[in-house]
Amino acid sequence: MAYSQPALPYADNALAPHISTETIGFHYGKHHATYIKKYNDMVAGTSLDDQNIEDVIVATANNPEKAGLFNNGAQAWNHSFYWNSLSPNGGGKPSGEIAGKIDTDFSNYDAFKEELANAAATQFGSGWAWLVLDKGQLKVVKTANAQTPLTSGMIPILTIDVWEHAYYLDFQNRRPDYVAAVIDDLLNWDFASQNFLNAQV
Ligand code: FE
């Protein structure tokens, strides 16, 4: 079924100066919108057209004949998740249950932060860095291109887009500076906590 682009959960200038209005204009307005248009065009009329996008992503993973549908569907979903992973009031240390779970699974917040920053910096080429819940444990993973933890049975908690289009206008080649800004000032821990608590039930 057709997938609609969710409204951006904040104003297009709300993440500035780290992520500028111009970046949002291209990234949300062009890149994300195009993945969604292509996904909708490709899924229409196929046997998968009655399924929601998450099920289509899982059904088309690792199938070279369905690579176009998978790539556009996964990028559509990953970007919607990314916009929610950011907040103008985000960043820094979380609180509540997820904070305790981070201390349990990573030793402490600083160790978690270093692991996430390292995953984001070392993803070679385009891709994503994620905080996921994997069999009850919080982990940091990275995925290439359109790949998504959804296809490995992991539950996404937060993500950082590390495709160049996410940061090039604001940080040029300085991906680590973009990642540091996201972690320190933008990560949406309310969204993460909600995903973490939803995964418990
Ligand atoms: Fe992107």
Side-chain angles (χ1 to χ4, degrees), residues 25-188:
F26 281 103
H27 199 184
Y28 175 83
K30 306 285 186 195
H31 290 281
H32 191 199
T34 301
Y35 291 129
I36 292 170
K37 184 183 184 319
K38 286 187 176 171
Y39 170 77
N40 287 335
D41 288 348
M42 291 175 122
V43 79
T46 71
S47 60
L48 295 166
D49 200 10
D50 60 341
Q51 297 186 29
N52 66 35
I53 192 167
E54 290 89 350
D55 292 337
V56 173
I57 290 166
V58 171
T60 56
N62 306 312
N63 180 348
E65 290 177 13
K66 301 279 186 192
L69 184 55
F70 171 81
N71 285 333
N72 285 288
Q75 283 295 80
W77 192 92
N78 288 349
H79 280 88
S80 297
F81 195 83
Y82 169 66
W83 303 124
N84 280 306
S85 294
L86 306 177
S87 163
N89 308 311
K93 282 189 185 184
S95 57
E97 257 185 69
I98 197 166
K101 183 68 172 158
I102 282 174
D103 288 345
T104 302
D105 292 345
F106 294 93
S107 301
N108 54 55
Y109 170 78
D110 287 339
F112 153 74
K113 180 176 155 173
E114 190 181 333
E115 194 171 330
L116 182 61
N118 189 47
T122 60
Q123 169 53 40
F124 186 76
S126 296
W128 302 81
W130 304 81
L131 174 63
V132 300
L133 195 64
D134 183 22
K135 301 181 187 74
Q137 194 182 352
L138 285 176
K139 290 181 184 171
V140 165
V141 296
K142 53 188 178 179
T143 61
N145 300 316
Q147 296 292 331
T148 174
L150 289 178
T151 60
S152 314
M154 297 186 271
I155 299 168
I157 304 293
L158 283 175
T159 195
I160 304 175
D161 187 344
V162 298
W163 285 58
E164 281 190 348
H165 65 221
Y167 61 86
Y168 212 83
L169 294 175
D170 301 317
F171 293 90
Q172 292 75 52
N173 61 322
R174 293 175 285 115
R175 187 195 287 183
D177 291 353
Y178 154 74
V179 170
V182 169
I183 294 174
D184 289 338
D185 291 315
L186 299 178
L187 278 186
N188 185 348

